[in-house]
Amino acid sequence: MNKREMQKANTRSLLLKTAKQIFAENGLLKVKTLAIAKKAGLSHGTLFFHFKTREDLLETVIETFGLEVAGQINVLVNQNSNLEDVLRSHIKSIRDNESFYIRLISEAAMLTIKANESLLAIQSVISYHINRVTALEIEEKRIKNIEPYLIFNTWIGLIHHYLLNKKMFSPGESVMDRYGGNLIAHYLNLLKL
């Protein structure tokens, strides 16, 4: 990669990082591209050089976030992991980007199809790992024999309930820091035979 290509990649990365931060703080739908460019210390035109539209920028931020989450979970979870390990990895991946993730799940219904497909891809990675380990734990009779989609949906519903009600559960602090361990323990208890 030559110097110009490296500078272009660094600028794009800065725009994505800045946009994710501002989206997390102010909402995915409210933020103007001018505010993102200004916060990044770049011209408005530079932003549109890298992203054709505001929707393109937002979709790229969500897609990049999804790849980060998937990569992090794939690294943290290995073939010897059990359900608790997978759940802890999921909590950690949320904790690292909690404000952005809350915005993403709370505003998902108003986002583009492509943005929602990226959210679905994130959920699919988590579902894959949960289903992989629960199948083994069901076979070994350590947890109840429950349909895989119910196992995942119950977990994600529990997590999303706490995140979407952050102001009630943990104003001013991370929901995952405060309740992550309790949510894992409660969920595992629901599945035990």
Side-chain angles (χ1 to χ4, degrees), residues 52-191:
K52 291 180 179 161
T53 63
R54 183 192 180 288
E55 288 74 26
D56 181 33
L57 171 62
L58 177 58
E59 290 166 354
T60 305
V61 168
I62 295 169
E63 183 180 345
T64 303
F65 167 70
L67 292 171
E68 290 169 7
V69 169
Q72 186 177 30
I73 289 175
N74 287 331
V75 166
L76 293 171
V77 175
N78 60 49
Q79 293 302 318
N80 299 321
S81 296
N82 61 25
L83 181 56
E84 185 173 351
D85 295 333
V86 172
L87 301 179
R88 287 196 186 288
S89 297
H90 186 212
I91 293 284
K92 181 178 180 351
S93 73
I94 291 172
R95 172 57 186 106
D96 292 345
N97 297 282
E98 191 170 306
S99 296
F100 181 76
Y101 188 71
I102 290 170
R103 292 291 187 174
L104 181 56
I105 61 174
S106 67
E107 298 178 27
M110 297 171 277
L111 297 176
T112 64
I113 292 170
K114 185 175 178 185
N116 272 290
E117 287 172 351
S118 292
L119 177 58
L120 180 61
I122 296 167
Q123 306 303 4
S124 295
V125 169
I126 299 154
S127 177
Y128 165 77
H129 287 293
I130 287 176
N131 289 338
R132 183 179 57 80
V133 296
T134 55
L136 181 61
E137 293 191 23
I138 288 169
E139 185 179 309
E140 294 174 351
K141 305 219 183 298
R142 289 189 274 151
I143 63 173
K144 296 174 186 170
N145 187 1
I146 301 172
E147 291 292 331
Y149 72 91
L150 288 174
I151 290 175
F152 172 73
N153 289 345
T154 302
W155 171 249
I156 207 72
L158 180 64
I159 294 298
H160 285 185
H161 174 72
Y162 273 77
L163 289 169
L164 292 172
N165 291 288
K166 176 183 173 83
K167 288 182 181 176
M168 179 174 60
F169 290 118
S170 62
E173 66 179 300
S174 164
V175 175
M176 295 297 98
D177 281 348
R178 185 164 185 189
Y179 290 103
N182 291 343
L183 295 175
I184 291 170
H186 173 69
Y187 179 73
L188 291 174
N189 193 46
L190 291 175
L191 296 179

